Amino acid sequence: MDVILYLLAASLVLGGGGLAVFLWSLRSGQYDDMEGAARRILFDDAPKR
Amino acid sequence: MTALVAMLDQVPAARVATACAHCGGPMADGGADQRFCCTGCAAAFATIQGMGLGDYYAKLTRDPAARRLRPEDGPRPDLTRAIRTDDDGKHTLVLAVDGLQCGACVWLIESMLSAVPGLARGRVNMTTRRLTLVWEGAAERAGEIVGRVEALGYRLVPFHPAALRAARDSAERQLLRALGVAAFGAGNVMLMSLGIWFGLAETMGPATRGLMHWVSALIAMPCIAYAGIPFFKSAWAALRHGRTNMDVPISVGVILVTVMSLAETIQGGAHAYFDSAAALLFFLLVGRVLDARARGVARETAEQLLALRDNQVSVRAADGTLRRQAADSVALGTEVLVGMGERIGVDGVVIQGDGQVDTSLVSGESLPRAASSGTQVFAGTMNLGAPLVVRTSATGDSTLLAECGRLIAAAEARRGRFVVLADRVARAYAPVVHVLALVTFISWYGFADAELNESLLTAAAVLIITCPCALALAVPAVQVIATGQLFRAGVLLKSATALERLAQVDTVVFDKTGTLTDPVPHLEGATDPAARHLAAELAANSRHPLCRALVAAVGEVVARQGVVEHAGQGLSLATDDGEVRLGSRAFCGVGTAAGDGPELWLARPGHDHVRFGFAEAARPATPEVLAALRGMGLRLHLLSGDRAAVVGRLAGTLGIDAWRGAATPAAKVAALEALAAEGRHVLMVGDGLNDAPSLAAAHVSATPAHAADISQSTADVVFPDKDLSPVVVLLRMARRARAVTRENIGFAIGYNALFVPLAMAGYVTPWLAAAAMSSSSLVVMANSLRVRKAGGGWT
């Protein structure tokens, strides 16, 4: 049953990684403008400078 | 206007130039070779094409409700006060953007700004309609950068840093962070718990189970400690003031369950409830986050409306030069020039000029007052006549605004704290639940001779089952959906308790001017259509309210070229036959006797003079709205500061029996308090400065979007200007929300009635608790969605 230890560790690492990504995305303001984000993806990239 | 814009969109710009290729507005003079209504639009079009952003016009979907994209010349608001500079030399400026039509505008502005050298960040927030600029180097570059966006036709108004609610942002982020942590905790602990539940039926040894419990505890406890902070804080604040709210039973439940589970884990017991505690917080936080977001957006939109107001005034310096300055930063004694058709931005005394002032927004009076040297004028009134020079007077206690501010403060102090339904339920609920848990413990330990441990566990199970998950979601879930539905209709709910207070309303008190009647005058009486059309063509060149009313009455008019505006007198146009004039009596040579109400005269060579009289008129659909309100069993009142005769006439036309005219702000408050003393719950609808105290005094209040600043910030609800129908939608939605909320609470209590006996009898295991709690929360959320059906039309 040692495998359970590895699995527990793996699930925690994955879950913790997800949490870290969420906190990062929150910190970088990605939830500030949901409406704009939804429309932005429809536009082409800005022309090259 | 909507139909017009839709029609214009279908016409290819290349074929017939009936609409400006840039702003979509009507053409000035329908020439076949012209494609633009003005040089500003032509320049904007050229700029956009020149940057290779011509795709914009293909992507654009014009929003009929938004401002037209026509570049306007004119002084720009003072930017320097709004710029925030970091220690590392970066400047930040946040501006409200007026004229955003759709996502294409976001793309256009950001693409254009990406080519500006030295600009670190130029991003438009579509939700809040704000543009954030961050740049390095000289702070003075702000003007140049803002100018580039303005040249495209948008209007930008800076937000003062103090006005930006950083605190609100951090509160919402704190909730979101807590939600993320709770989701992590609940998800991972649930994984462990599933293993334990299935293992129990099979052959999981106590050692493995203990390990799973310990890992659960290690994940769950920090998560619960962090994600529970918003609830613990609120509960603690309530308890410290000797009150109780919904967060008290939540906090007590969560903490007790966690402590019990920890004790069970230490002793190697079979049952731990970490998953229930974490899942409970997760569900509750979903409700909180949605609630905070819905209200945050509504509040920001309301702030945006206020910021876009032109609150700049023209200050005249000693040497006669003019300078634009924010009205609130004008020093006492400063001379302010108020042009024709401009709103007076300060309280003061007229020292030069002779004209008429529209005081409807301040006193509710519909007819303009004469203003000449020595007349006291108030901020918020509009100059209809010749330019006035106003010396800013003491903004201290003597002003009308200060008087209204005192009345508002007094009214708000008298209005008792409204206890929301959820807290009323919690008041009754918390003691019952905690007594039940205690009774369970005593029964098991004292009478059934059970082990201390087992008795405590059973009592904890009662607390878990009764933990008010469904109950705590019953109210916010409905609020979120109702607030969102209203927001889509343009109605902004600013107060968290507004919806509940609206549902209790049994009396509606209306203000007259600007609420029941249109804030702008209407053309009255029949005139020769040809004369009227000619007059409107001249009037289209002016911003004077009467000219605008004339144009509105005629419909779509193409402005004549070559019209000269004579400030304070009228308009003239040189034609082949002679000069055509539109303006005051004296200007058109009719005589100097005072007319009956606001009027315009038209003088043409070879024709008689034509008079256009203006009067106030009920706003569109007002009788239908009032009929709908009566149909809902509401009593209607009319309370106005205008002369009694005028108020009485309107009340008669609209069939309102209970009316009162010539009411001062204090008298209005007294009238509302008399109604409240009769036990009535009053919805006050008003827009004027003089209504602000009564808006504060009423049980709940609503104001149209054009209302005076102070009224808008006092009212609980802001609705779109068009007509009064949002009042009906609002009340319908509130009543429906209350009905669904009651269903939800009924369900939550019914669910408890079913499961509490099971828990007290000791039949509830962790998996049963988790299943029952999750399913009850989902049922409540699903039921709340039914509020949506109340949206849509109001008839």
Side-chain angles (χ1 to χ4, degrees):
Chain A
M1 283 296 273
D2 285 348
V3 68
I4 205 167
L5 295 176
Y6 300 120
L7 289 177
L8 279 176
S11 82
L12 278 183
V13 167
L14 286 174
L19 181 64
V21 169
F22 171 76
L23 292 179
W24 163 78
S25 66
L26 182 64
R27 190 177 300 263
S28 61
Q30 297 188 26
Y31 296 88
D32 290 351
D33 181 17
M34 309 287 247
E35 196 186 332
R39 303 196 185 206
R40 244 176 252 278
I41 58 162
L42 298 176
F43 294 126
D44 304 330
D45 290 338
K48 295 268 178 285
R49 297 187 190 181
Chain B
M1 194 58 202
T2 311
L4 175 78
V5 172
M7 189 187 80
L8 290 176
D9 274 352
Q10 290 162 6
V11 181
R15 194 166 57 90
V16 209
T18 50
C20 176
H22 178 67
C23 73
M27 300 297 291
D29 206 356
D33 54 334
Q34 277 185 316
R35 295 179 63 197
F36 306 101
C37 64
C38 61
T39 51
C41 282
F45 189 85
T47 310
I48 292 172
Q49 297 293 353
M51 298 188 74
L53 302 174
D55 275 2
Y56 168 67
Y57 296 102
K59 290 169 177 168
L60 177 63
T61 314
R62 289 192 200 279
D63 177 359
R67 179 180 160 277
R68 253 173 60 191
L69 260 189
R70 186 178 173 176
E72 277 172 15
D73 289 334
R76 179 181 302 139
D78 178 26
L79 295 173
T80 48
R81 287 202 316 152
I83 298 174
R84 203 171 52 223
T85 304
D86 291 348
D87 298 335
D88 52 356
K90 274 191 180 163
H91 309 289
T92 306
L93 178 61
V94 181
L95 303 117
V97 187
D98 196 10
L100 278 188
Q101 313 279 329
C102 68
C105 287
V106 174
W107 175 81
L108 175 70
I109 296 175
E110 290 184 356
S111 304
M112 198 271 297
L113 288 175
S114 71
V116 175
L119 188 69
R121 184 176 153 89
R123 204 166 162 90
V124 180
N125 185 323
M126 182 101 194
T127 316
T128 55
R129 309 206 154 218
R130 284 173 196 187
L131 169 65
T132 309
L133 296 172
V134 180
W135 72 99
E136 286 168 350
E140 290 73 36
R141 287 197 62 204
E144 172 225 323
I145 299 169
V146 168
R148 289 191 188 215
V149 181
E150 283 179 335
L152 301 178
Y154 302 95
R155 194 160 76 85
L156 299 178
V157 181
F159 269 103
H160 198 259
L164 287 173
R165 299 247 175 87
R168 189 205 61 79
D169 271 358
S170 65
E172 196 183 311
R173 282 197 180 185
Q174 166 74 30
L175 274 178
L176 261 177
R177 247 196 308 271
L179 177 66
V181 170
F184 165 78
N188 283 283
V189 173
M190 194 57 79
L191 271 180
M192 309 284 161
S193 300
L194 279 176
I196 297 168
W197 299 338
F198 289 116
L200 283 178
E202 301 292 324
T203 52
M204 184 183 278
T208 315
R209 192 184 62 205
L211 171 73
M212 302 285 254
H213 276 168
W214 271 114
V215 177
S216 296
L218 286 179
I219 302 170
M221 289 202 302
C223 288
I224 289 169
Y226 185 80
I229 290 174
F231 303 96
F232 302 154
K233 264 189 188 163
S234 151
W236 178 240
L239 286 177
R240 239 190 0 204
H241 291 99
R243 292 196 307 264
T244 178
N245 62 14
M246 202 41 110
D247 290 335
V248 173
I250 292 173
S251 302
V252 170
V254 167
I255 292 173
L256 272 180
V257 166
T258 310
V259 169
M260 274 311 303
S261 302
L262 181 65
E264 186 76 354
T265 303
I266 291 170
Q267 293 170 4
H271 299 307
Y273 295 85
F274 290 116
D275 56 304
S276 289
L280 172 73
L281 286 179
F282 171 69
F283 277 118
L284 292 176
L285 281 167
V286 169
R288 295 276 159 116
V289 166
L290 290 176
D291 200 28
R293 173 143 282 180
R295 229 186 342 272
V297 170
R299 208 170 31 229
E300 273 170 2
T301 311
E303 280 172 18
Q304 187 90 344
L305 281 177
L306 285 181
L308 287 176
R309 290 289 178 78
D310 190 13
N311 59 354
Q312 300 268 312
V313 294
S314 299
V315 172
R316 195 169 71 170
D319 57 358
T321 53
L322 288 176
R323 189 165 50 83
R324 295 291 278 181
Q325 196 181 342
D328 52 2
S329 68
V330 172
L332 293 188
T334 312
E335 289 175 11
V336 173
L337 180 77
V338 186
M340 183 167 70
E342 196 183 341
R343 225 166 250 298
I344 300 176
V346 294
D347 287 0
V349 178
V350 177
I351 55 170
Q352 192 185 323
D354 207 0
Q356 284 189 315
V357 175
D358 171 11
T359 61
S360 61
L361 206 54
V362 172
S363 68
E365 227 174 278
S366 50
L367 285 184
R369 276 193 205 163
S372 54
S373 243
T375 311
Q376 169 101 42
V377 289
F378 299 108
T381 56
M382 190 187 276
N383 179 15
L384 296 179
L388 299 174
V389 178
V390 176
R391 174 169 291 139
T392 314
S393 66
T395 49
D397 289 345
S398 59
T399 64
L400 187 64
L401 192 66
E403 172 66 20
C404 283
R406 268 202 303 276
L407 284 169
I408 290 173
E412 277 173 348
R414 274 197 300 275
R415 182 156 86 179
R417 209 186 93 87
F418 181 77
V419 182
V420 293
L421 185 60
D423 289 349
R424 286 205 301 275
V425 173
R427 253 176 216 182
Y429 184 82
V432 171
V433 168
H434 295 148
V435 165
L436 275 179
L438 190 66
V439 166
T440 308
F441 172 73
I442 293 171
S443 310
W444 278 71
Y445 189 61
F447 300 105
D449 287 332
E451 294 284 314
L452 173 68
N453 203 14
E454 194 183 356
S455 312
L456 274 176
L457 254 184
T458 316
V462 172
L463 277 179
I464 292 167
I465 279 294
T466 55
C467 210
C469 189
L471 203 53
L473 278 172
V475 177
V478 172
Q479 291 249 352
V480 168
I481 294 164
T483 311
Q485 287 285 108
L486 288 170
F487 182 75
R488 245 160 269 145
V491 181
L492 309 175
L493 285 184
K494 286 165 56 202
S495 154
T497 58
L499 213 54
E500 279 183 35
R501 283 181 282 140
L502 278 164
Q504 300 175 328
V505 163
D506 51 17
T507 307
V508 185
V509 176
F510 288 101
D511 166 48
K512 182 179 73 74
T513 319
T515 306
L516 286 179
T517 63
D518 240 330
V520 290
H522 280 245
L523 184 61
E524 202 183 40
T527 42
D528 171 28
R532 194 156 63 170
H533 200 263
L534 175 66
E537 284 177 349
L538 264 72
N541 288 288
S542 170
R543 289 182 63 190
H544 192 282
L546 293 184
C547 286
R548 287 186 177 178
L550 186 60
V551 173
V554 172
E556 208 43 57
V557 176
V558 176
R560 283 281 181 118
Q561 304 264 309
V563 173
V564 181
E565 182 154 8
H566 306 268
Q569 306 180 73
L571 305 160
S572 70
L573 171 69
T575 63
D576 298 338
D577 305 330
E579 196 183 43
V580 179
R581 285 184 164 201
L582 178 73
S584 67
R585 260 167 201 267
F587 184 62
C588 294
V590 187
T592 51
D596 176 25
E599 57 180 8
L600 281 177
W601 286 83
L602 177 69
R604 288 169 296 172
H607 290 271
D608 283 343
H609 291 61
V610 183
R611 176 181 183 273
F612 300 98
F614 295 87
E616 61 171 1
R619 306 179 70 167
T622 300
E624 291 87 339
V625 168
L626 297 185
L629 290 176
R630 282 195 198 98
M632 294 168 75
L634 299 163
R635 231 166 61 171
L636 305 180
H637 287 246
L638 175 56
L639 202 55
S640 172
D642 204 356
R643 287 154 301 144
V646 184
V647 180
R649 200 159 54 221
L650 184 77
T653 321
L654 295 173
I656 299 178
D657 302 327
W659 61 269
R660 199 169 141 190
T664 61
K668 286 190 174 193
V669 171
L672 287 175
E673 277 169 357
L675 281 170
E678 286 173 31
R680 301 209 145 253
H681 296 293
V682 177
L683 164 65
M684 172 80 202
V685 187
D687 70 327
L689 179 61
N690 62 331
D691 295 318
S694 33
L695 290 172
H699 189 56
V700 56
S701 53
T703 190
H706 71 253
D709 292 9
I710 187 167
S711 306
Q712 231 179 80
S713 42
T714 310
D716 298 307
V717 181
V718 180
F719 61 86
D721 269 335
K722 197 167 63 43
D723 55 33
L724 281 175
S725 60
V727 175
V728 183
V729 176
L730 192 60
L731 289 171
R732 289 242 166 98
M733 180 61 90
R735 289 183 176 192
R736 175 140 187 103
R738 180 174 61 177
V740 174
T741 305
R742 285 184 174 165
E743 282 170 24
N744 280 349
I745 291 177
F747 172 82
I749 291 175
Y751 147 87
N752 275 325
L754 193 68
F755 278 94
V756 165
L758 284 181
M760 290 177 81
Y763 288 117
V764 169
T765 49
W767 71 264
L768 183 60
M773 197 159 64
S774 308
S775 57
S776 68
S777 302
L778 291 178
V779 168
V780 165
M781 285 191 186
N783 188 47
S784 306
L785 288 175
R786 299 198 311 120
V787 175
R788 285 187 186 207
K789 277 201 284 187
W794 57 276
T795 42

